[in-house]
């Protein structure tokens, strides 16, 4: 049993106002200097083949300087209002599970990208804005560069803020074979149960 007080209308308005600042508009995202992917279709196809996401599934991936996949994790988003703070927390938790942070580096060398499979069309929504806010903040806290945000729908994929996209893969298409140039993800040097958990997460 949980005890507590119902929030007042003033508190609700305050919470709503705070949450509204945790969403990035598409113009803000496009102006943020997000590094362009050299081959976005290869990145999208690789993540789609590895994780086979369905609607409401997010895939966060870390790429090295040559855009080779170092680590990735997929998870299902629970139904909730669009809030970048919540998105940041879940992204940061996933990053911490699959790859060590780079906070000791003066300049980030690895880049995190986010692929979100959802219903609807590929254009920007408030939910996408919350993911953008969350990805940018999670990257700062994990010592990574903030990379592309990609939507995957039944119509195909779209790199928001860049205008690049394609029809395949889509939310309905079967996974394509792995690219032969894709490197195996590197795992943190840990031992025991933690290594086994990380191995399962990276193999998904």
């Amino acid at each position: 049993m949980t005890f507590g007080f119902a929030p007042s209308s003033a508190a609700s308005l305050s919470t709503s106002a705070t949450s509204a600042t945790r969403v990035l508009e598409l113009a803000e995202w496009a102006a943020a200097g997000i590094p362009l992917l050299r081959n976005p279709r290869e990145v999208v196809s690789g993540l789609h083949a590895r994780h086979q996401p369905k609607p409401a599934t997010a895939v966060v991936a870390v790429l090295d300087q040559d855009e080779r996949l170092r680590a990735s994790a997929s998870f299902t988003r629970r139904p909730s209002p669009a809030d970048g703070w919540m998105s940041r927390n879940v992204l940061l938790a996933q990053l911490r599970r699959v790859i060590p942070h780079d906070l000791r580096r003066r300049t980030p060398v690895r880049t995190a990208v986010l692929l979100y499979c959802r219903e609807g069309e590929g254009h920007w929504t408030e939910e996408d804005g919350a993911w953008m806010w969350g990805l940018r903040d999670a990257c700062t806290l994990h010592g990574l560069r903030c990379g592309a945000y990609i939507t995957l729908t039944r119509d195909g994929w779209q790199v928001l803020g860049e205008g690049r996209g394609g029809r395949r893969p889509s939310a309905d298409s079967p996974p394509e074979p792995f690219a032969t140039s894709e490197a195996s993800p590197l795992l943190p040097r840990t031992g025991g149960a933690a290594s086994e958990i990380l191995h399962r997460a990276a193999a998904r």
Side-chain angles (χ1 to χ4, degrees), residues 22-102:
R22 297 169 181 161
V23 173
L24 287 181
E25 298 287 342
L26 186 57
E28 294 177 286
W29 180 258
I34 304 300
L36 300 178
L37 290 170
R38 291 194 297 271
N39 193 334
R41 188 184 185 281
E42 183 175 305
V43 172
V44 174
S45 296
L47 294 179
H48 181 263
R50 180 177 293 272
H51 294 277
Q52 302 180 32
K54 298 300 180 185
T57 301
V59 180
V60 61
V62 178
L63 310 177
D64 66 13
Q65 292 172 301
D66 297 319
E67 284 193 4
R68 289 176 298 187
L69 182 65
R70 298 289 91 185
S72 63
S74 62
F75 53 95
T76 303
R77 179 185 182 276
R78 296 178 180 178
S80 61
D83 186 345
W85 185 76
M86 297 295 293
S87 299
R88 185 277 306 274
N89 288 347
V90 69
L91 287 171
L92 192 57
Q94 295 295 328
L95 288 170
R96 286 170 173 166
R97 286 177 57 228
V98 298
I99 200 162
H101 67 74
D102 278 346

Side-chain angles (χ1 to χ4, degrees), residues 138-163:
C139 287
T140 299
L141 295 173
H142 206 64
L144 302 170
R145 289 200 307 169
C146 180
Y149 175 78
I150 307 159
T151 58
L152 184 71
T153 66
R154 301 187 192 282
D155 294 330
W157 58 272
Q158 186 81 14
V159 184
L160 293 193
E162 295 184 20

